[in-house]
Amino acid sequence: MTSLIRFLMCAPDHYDVDYVINPWMEGNIHKSSRDRAVEQWEQLYHILKQHAIVDLVTPQKGWPDMVFTANAGLVLGENVVLSRFLHKERQGEEPFFKNWFEENGYTVHLLPKDLPFEGAGDALLDREGRWLWAGYGFRSELDSHPYLAKWLDIEVLSLRLIDERFYHLDTCFCPLANGYLLYYPGAFDAYSNRLIEMRVAPEKRIAIQEADAVNFACNTVNVESIVIMNKASNALKARLTDVGFRVVETPLTEFLKAGGAAKCLTLRVTEPLHQEIHANIPVQSRVIRLEGHLLDSGLINRALDLIVDGGGSFQVMNFNLGEQRQSTSAAEVRVSAPSHEVMEEIISQLIDLGAVDLPQNERDAKLQPVLQAGVAPDDFYVSTIYPTEVRINGQWVKVENQRMDGAIAITQTADGFIARCKILRDLEVNDLVVVDVQGIRTIRKTEYRENRASQEFSFMSSGVSSERRVEIVVEQVAWELRKIRDAGGKVVVTAGPVVIHTGGGEHLARLIREGYVQALLGGNAIAVHDIEQNIMGTSLGVDMKRGVAVRGGHRHHLKAINTVRRYGSIAKAVEAGVINSGVMYECVTNNVHFSLAGSIRDDGPLPDTQMNLIQAQEEYAKLIEGAEMILMLSSMLHSIGVGNMTPAGVKMVCVDINPAVVTKLSDRGSVESVGVVTDVGLFLSLLIQQLDKLTSPYVANVG
Ligand code: ARG
């Protein structure tokens, strides 16, 4: 054999499944046959020797996974980055591999302690030598990648693994000769798949199915046109043969029990250097600071989870734990991401949690002009419900009109800069819009700890309440309604037609009559059903008293619409005495503003229904202004619409029989929102009873 290609292997003298550090090992402890393992390993050794030189490192007792030499380190030219194993079960292999590399004349680079990186198992060179693909997510840290780039002077493309069965990059990814790539897309996140697709032309990508992937078909040793693997389906073999590869299958079932196969059992130690290639590392990092009840409120967990879920990794640099229950903690966290795009995504979510830059790193927000009316620059920062500030010319400017899903537009006036949230359609040419995620912070209150302890209205436990908690929420809402009414505050109700079907109409009408509601938002339907009920006694043709369908009743709601249309508006129909009770009647007679937003399925509509949706959104926004509490009663569409326009700090109560709606609305990450999964009619009747209890003891019971 004249090949100059060399591999390193380690005989399976001490191989066994002794512990579980990956899903393949589960249930396989001491289940592999020594004899068969030796036989399979020798077969692989034999095949490989026909195509390359194979060196051997001495196996060591007590280190059963040492057969997987792919994990010894990563070699390029004379340089080796030695592995730092994540699990202590394998850390003992490190010195033996180090010795071998040194004895064979390599320059060995050692990563910092506690920065795991598992060698060629997680880092694979493009076979044309153009770049290095490096995996992270399970065994290797993203933060190890910049070291690889520096020491090996090569561009590193980071790929995030998301399926724990494919915990090493070489279990699901194999660059082949001539620019081909054998891989299992399901093992990677969307961003990584996009990166792969950008770098490897479609005709060069050999994406395999799960069935081949679980046979470790990607765990292939490629020497020129030969590909050696455990097993491949006929379809895969045909595919590889078509593009000029010769597939050699050799069973490695005993090693599969430890989560490895052909490629894992080998390490290519001759990887030629390509002179024209140089380091170019897109991995970015940024240090952020979080302060507050980091532990009590789970903030730190949420922050770290979202970094990892977003495709980044982190290092907690400093953590100052608050000692007393009331003291806050502070943490400095280094966030790393494989690209600026991913970093932006992560940082924007951290900003929502209140993360800020270290003072010495603070910079002005980046601004870009609007070039087309109603269209923001591509990279615009999407606003949230939280009070936000942006840094302009070294000054933090508070953003006005805070709402979610807008852009932050800056205008300069004689008295300085004004920043405000604008929805896309309101952007004007030359408005300056905040782009990227620099120079932006949100102000999160930290005093929640005290509030929680107080007996007052505590919407603190955000999340869906169980049935058992309905009564507690009712008590709190009643208390708050009364307080707001007495202080002349503002409560807004969004309501769907279910309020009427479930018999809640009379209760809502009473809330309005007694001054607990200052604005009503809904669609055409709530008004139609309410009016139908009050002029005909049915709701959608169902008798509200007896709960049975009335013959021909389905026409009732159209008759109700027709009647209102005849008078020109709900108010005129009330004035004419046609409507003399109900929710809409109370709104009109008590001067409570309402806005009815139309939709495609509306019958009629009523003359009052605003069919111009942009107009309707504006009316809604106006009515919400200054609200202290919003009661959302069984209307997913209108409630979500309202939620989007409402800044943090407004108490929101969402009542719906459908838990999905409640979760969606109460999950604003805001402690002020609470959800109740229950029948809205029942909720309203309990609420009325509770309000009666709160108000009646002071009044002598006459008559
Ligand atoms: N049991 C070993 C581990 O979990 C298997 C290593 C397989 N090696 C590889 N390059 N994928 O670490």
Side-chain angles (χ1 to χ4, degrees), residues 19 21-22 25 65 68 70-71 85 90 118 120-122 139 167-168 170-171 216 219 258-261 263-264:
Y19 44 75
I21 57 172
N22 69 50
M25 299 173 102
D65 272 337
F68 298 113
N71 301 119
F85 285 96
R90 293 200 65 182
E118 299 202 347
D122 258 338
R139 297 295 185 83
Y167 58 95
H168 273 145
D170 68 359
T171 60
F216 275 64
N219 201 249
K263 161 67 174 56
C264 304

